[in-house]
Amino acid sequence: MSGAEAGSKQSASSTGFGHSPRRLAAELGLLLLAIVLLIFGARSCAGCAATAIVAAIPPDADAAIGKSAGEAMRAQHGLSGAPTEEQKARVDRIFEELRSGLTDEEKAILVAPRVTVVKDDQVNAFALPGGEVFVLTGLLDRAKDDDDQVRGVLAHEIGHAVKRHGVRSLVRNAVFGLTIAFVVGDLNDVTATVIAGASQLDTLSYSRSMEEEADAFGVDLLGRRKYSPEGLARFLESLESAPVPELLSTHPDSDARAKAIRERMQSGK
């Protein structure tokens, strides 16, 4: 090989793609842009597919999922002690008041309605598919003797079950993950990390929309039974603000939710 040829190859090597930071940065930028576009496309696909799939799943499936999870949770929480009879009677009474306001179609979705009070200092309540609702005693302590607050929270949780949010979330997350895996295939560690983070943010955003939908249902259900949703708004305002931006929270801002509830009360919708 002549000296000129060697010099030419050395020059090409020093300026080639493998050694050009600018080319590497551009290539990485294009890759990340493609990933973002893929994620938004998969998100839309997952949402539409989940809606169609859940519509084809009978409510009995919700009840089976809820029953299995409910029994596990009762066993777990049972180790921390039992609530008082007064606490259980109070929640049972309010739960039955709200159930009587459901339409026949809504009752058909709640195949296995049941409310369970568990001894736990956390201020929380949650609904499982099929109508399993759990109320933690910490929430009752926070509400004190204000039944309207407890009633508002239960109406909200019943909304989660009636709207089938648990099953919708399970199906949507599964479709989202399968879509990403099918289209992208094998991923290196960096790309996998980016997609994992984006997938988590997508899940959080969907959770916020479900919380807002459950709020709207709760307001409507309370109105049917001639109760004011003001109790739900007051309860939301009593919650301590989460130390993270709303974008990264699984729930919308509590003050914003309380404001939306009062606006819905005033508009009669």
Side-chain angles (χ1 to χ4, degrees):
M1 180 182 297
S2 68
E5 290 175 332
S8 176
K9 285 185 175 293
Q10 181 178 5
S11 176
S13 175
S14 64
T15 59
F17 171 75
H19 298 275
S20 171
R22 183 175 298 178
R23 289 281 297 276
L24 283 172
E27 200 66 26
L28 179 59
L30 289 174
L31 175 62
L32 293 178
L33 177 60
I35 291 172
V36 170
L37 293 175
L38 170 63
I39 288 169
F40 277 103
R43 176 182 179 179
S44 176
C45 172
C48 295
T51 299
I53 292 171
V54 171
I57 297 175
D60 286 347
D62 297 41
I65 295 171
K67 180 179 179 180
S68 177
E71 292 303 325
M73 289 180 181
R74 270 185 284 275
Q76 175 186 345
H77 284 286
L79 300 175
S80 60
T84 67
E85 292 301 318
E86 290 77 9
Q87 288 173 324
K88 291 192 292 184
R90 178 190 186 190
V91 173
D92 284 342
R93 170 177 54 82
I94 294 173
F95 187 70
E96 290 305 318
E97 289 173 356
L98 294 171
R99 277 189 61 203
S100 67
L102 296 174
T103 65
D104 290 341
E105 182 180 2
E106 291 164 350
K107 290 178 179 177
I109 296 174
L110 299 188
V111 177
R114 177 177 180 179
V115 66
T116 300
V117 182
V118 294
K119 186 174 177 58
D120 192 309
D121 291 337
Q122 294 184 71
V123 181
N124 198 13
F126 53 90
L128 299 175
E132 286 264 10
V133 177
F134 283 76
V135 178
L136 279 54
T137 53
L139 185 148
L140 300 178
D141 293 338
R142 171 69 67 87
K144 296 184 171 60
D145 61 351
D146 189 343
D147 278 1
D148 282 340
Q149 288 194 39
V150 179
R151 189 176 289 111
V153 172
L154 282 176
H156 169 93
E157 297 303 334
I158 290 173
H160 278 307
V162 169
K163 297 298 182 180
R164 307 185 73 184
H165 288 162
V167 175
R168 281 169 54 187
S169 182
L170 287 173
V171 172
R172 189 175 190 272
N173 289 344
V175 172
F176 185 87
L178 288 172
T179 302
I180 291 292
F182 178 78
V183 175
V184 177
D186 292 332
L187 307 172
N188 60 42
D189 292 341
V190 175
T191 306
T193 300
V194 172
I195 289 181
S199 176
Q200 179 66 12
L201 286 176
D202 175 78
T203 300
L204 294 174
S205 175
Y206 191 61
S207 294
R208 290 199 303 273
S209 70
M210 288 193 293
E211 292 297 334
E212 291 163 356
E213 188 176 23
D215 282 345
F217 180 90
V219 170
D220 180 56
L221 179 58
L222 290 166
R224 298 180 208 170
R225 298 292 294 134
K226 308 303 180 184
Y227 291 116
S228 171
E230 177 63 28
L232 177 56
R234 288 200 306 272
F235 177 80
L236 291 171
E237 289 176 333
S238 77
L239 299 177
E240 295 179 359
S241 299
V244 293
E246 182 179 342
L247 176 64
L248 300 179
S249 172
T250 56
H251 290 62
D253 177 74
S254 295
D255 288 337
R257 289 171 63 189
K259 180 180 179 182
I261 287 170
R262 292 194 173 102
E263 289 175 349
R264 186 176 290 273
M265 289 166 54
Q266 294 174 357
S267 66
K269 295 181 181 179

